[in-house]
Amino acid sequence: MTSAVDTTRIRRLLDRPFTVGDLTVSNRIAMAPMTRNMSPDGVPGADVAEYYARRAANNVGLIVTEGTYINRAAAGAYPNVPHFYGEQSLAGWAHVAEQVHRAGGRIIPQLWHTGSARTATEPPAESPSGVGLDGGPAGNAMSQHDIDGTVAAFAEAAAAAERLGFDGVELHGAHGYLIDSFLWSGTNQRTDGYGGDPASRARFAAEIVGAVRAAVSPGFPVFFRLSQWKSGNYQAKIAESAGELEQILAPLVDAGVDAFHASTRRYWLPEFDGSDLNLAGWVKKLSGKATVTVGSVGLDQEFVGAAGWQKQAEVAGIDQLLDRLERDEFDLVAVGRALLANPDWATKVLQGRLDEAIAFDRGVLKSLN
C-alpha cells in the first residue's frame, strides 16, 4: 500500500502543470504512442475517439496518438493504421480531438513514414540508401525529389493537425523508421549533404522540422521522437557519445523543435558511461529543450526482447521515476502498456492507489479497451 508520504510526493512531482509553446498540460503524465491497427481504410472511428477520451477522463495530461501515415504513397507498412490525410480520416481525427478535449485532456498526433519497414513493392519502400535495418537491400534510395515531397507531406499533415484543433504535433523520428534511418549511420550511407557526420545525417529531419514549423503557428508545439534502438536491433545507436548526440540535436533545435520524446525500452538505464542520466536526461541537458521519458514505466519488463513480445509484465513501482523527475532530468513521463491494461492508471497513481493497478497482458492489444 502506498503511504501518505509517498502520495504527497507523487502529487508534488506528477500532478503539476507543464507548458510548452501555447500548450499547457494539467500534469506530467502522457500517453505514449502505440500502434493499434484498428482504423479500417485508415479512418479512426468512434471507438478510437472513446479509447483516447477514456484516458483523458482519467487524468492523462497529454495524449500522443498512435503513429499516423502522412500523405506519401510509400509511407505505410502495416494494415489498418490511421491516415492523417483525406477527408474521412481527417474528419475522424477531428472527432477524436473533440472528445479528448471534452474529457479534459490535450492531444497531439504522431506523424509517421515507415521507411524501409514497408514490404510492398508498389510503390517500393523509401530509405536513405536502399539499405534496411539488417544491412541488406531495402527499397529505393530517395532522390532529392523524393526528399522534397516527403518534407512537404509532413508539413501538410502538421498544418492539418492545427486546423483540426489538435494541441501540437509529434514527428516520429525513432525506431528505425524513415526519419530515424537518416539519423543512423547503419542505414544512411549517403555521400551527399544528407549523409556522413552526425549533423549531416540530421539534415533530413531538420528540413522536416523546419517545414512543419513554417506550416503552423509559432506557439503550436513541435515534438520530435527519437531513439537509439531500432526495431529488431536493440544495440543500435545514432550516437555513440554525448558529443555525437549533441551534433544531431543542434540542427533540430535550430529548425524549431520544442520538445523531444526520448524513447528507451527501460527508462531507468543510464545512456552513456559516467552518468546516471537516461536518454531523455541527456537530450534535455544537451538541447536545453523540454523532454519526455518513456520505457516500461509502471511495469517490470520491457515490451519486447530477444524472444519477441513479452506476453505479460507485472506492475512495478515508480520510485526511480520520481527520483529522476525530482532531479529535473526530464519534464513529462509517457506511459504505454500500463495505460493499455489500466485506462485509469494515471488516476490510480495520482491518488496513491498504484497497488490496485493490474498487470499488462498481451490480450489487451486485441481491443480498444
Side-chain angles (χ1 to χ4, degrees), residues 38-169:
M38 292 185 182
S39 294
D41 299 318
V43 179
D47 55 345
V48 175
E50 292 166 3
Y51 161 76
Y52 287 121
R54 192 171 300 119
R55 274 79 187 169
N58 276 286
N59 291 302
V60 173
L62 176 66
I63 288 170
V64 185
T65 75
E66 62 209 284
T68 68
Y69 294 152
I70 60 169
N71 189 10
R72 179 82 182 164
Y78 313 110
N80 300 322
V81 167
H83 300 166
F84 214 84
Y85 62 90
E87 184 177 350
Q88 285 187 292
S89 294
L90 292 181
W93 279 120
H95 181 63
V96 171
E98 178 185 6
Q99 292 299 102
V100 167
H101 289 156
R102 184 172 296 175
R106 295 292 178 265
I107 183 169
I108 63 176
Q110 186 188 73
L111 306 181
W112 192 18
H113 187 310
T114 62
S116 63
R118 180 178 173 84
T119 57
T121 57
E122 188 55 43
E126 296 179 317
S127 63
S129 310
V131 176
L133 296 178
D134 60 357
N140 292 339
M142 295 175 74
S143 67
Q144 187 65 54
H145 179 74
D146 295 329
I147 288 173
D148 292 344
T150 302
V151 169
F154 273 103
E156 176 188 359
E162 184 172 26
R163 186 173 66 249
L164 295 177
F166 281 83
D167 301 294
V169 68

Side-chain angles (χ1 to χ4, degrees), residues 297-317:
V297 173
L299 297 174
D300 68 345
Q301 295 186 52
E302 68 270 23
F303 71 100
V304 66
W309 263 94
Q310 301 285 359
K311 292 183 179 180
Q312 285 189 315
E314 298 300 321
V315 175

Side-chain angles (χ1 to χ4, degrees), residues 183-186 198 201 228 235-248 271-273:
L183 297 177
W184 186 40
S185 61
R201 297 198 306 270
Q228 295 269 42
Q235 304 308 310
K237 291 180 179 294
I238 62 173
E240 295 289 341
S241 67
E244 287 190 358
L245 181 59
E246 188 171 21
Q247 291 180 62
I248 290 171
E271 189 56 44
F272 299 118
D273 292 340

Side-chain angles (χ1 to χ4, degrees), residues 95-345:
H95 181 63
V96 171
E98 178 185 6
Q99 292 299 102
V100 167
H101 289 156
R102 184 172 296 175
R106 295 292 178 265
I107 183 169
I108 63 176
Q110 186 188 73
L111 306 181
W112 192 18
H113 187 310
T114 62
S116 63
R118 180 178 173 84
T119 57
T121 57
E122 188 55 43
E126 296 179 317
S127 63
S129 310
V131 176
L133 296 178
D134 60 357
N140 292 339
M142 295 175 74
S143 67
Q144 187 65 54
H145 179 74
D146 295 329
I147 288 173
D148 292 344
T150 302
V151 169
F154 273 103
E156 176 188 359
E162 184 172 26
R163 186 173 66 249
L164 295 177
F166 281 83
D167 301 294
V169 68
E170 176 168 287
L171 306 175
H172 195 340
H175 307 163
Y177 297 114
L178 182 65
I179 296 176
D180 186 35
S181 66
F182 273 81
L183 297 177
W184 186 40
S185 61
T187 42
N188 186 345
Q189 299 174 14
R190 298 175 74 102
T191 57
D192 61 5
Y194 293 95
D197 60 56
S200 297
R201 297 198 306 270
R203 177 181 169 185
F204 176 61
E207 288 185 358
I208 292 172
V209 173
V212 166
R213 183 77 275 158
V216 299
S217 300
F220 193 72
V222 177
F223 287 65
F224 188 96
R225 198 177 211 212
L226 79 166
S227 70
Q228 295 269 42
W229 65 274
K230 319 299 166 201
S231 298
N233 189 333
Y234 303 116
Q235 304 308 310
K237 291 180 179 294
I238 62 173
E240 295 289 341
S241 67
E244 287 190 358
L245 181 59
E246 188 171 21
Q247 291 180 62
I248 290 171
L249 296 173
L252 302 178
V253 171
D254 290 344
V257 168
D258 296 294
F260 288 97
H261 187 172
S263 177
T264 59
R265 296 164 66 225
R266 289 156 290 193
Y267 76 85
W268 54 86
L269 294 182
E271 189 56 44
F272 299 118
D273 292 340
S275 170
D276 289 335
L277 290 175
N278 70 5
L279 182 59
W282 271 109
V283 170
K284 182 173 182 177
K285 178 179 179 178
L286 295 170
S287 71
K289 294 294 182 179
T291 58
V292 186
T293 197
V294 69
S296 302
V297 173
L299 297 174
D300 68 345
Q301 295 186 52
E302 68 270 23
F303 71 100
V304 66
W309 263 94
Q310 301 285 359
K311 292 183 179 180
Q312 285 189 315
E314 298 300 321
V315 175
I318 58 171
D319 287 344
Q320 284 195 60
L321 182 76
L322 297 176
D323 290 344
R324 290 174 181 269
L325 196 57
E326 192 155 34
R327 294 195 297 266
D328 201 30
E329 190 169 332
F330 38 74
D331 301 287
L332 298 172
V333 176
V335 184
R337 291 166 298 148
L339 264 174
L340 296 185
N342 303 265
D344 59 349
W345 186 89

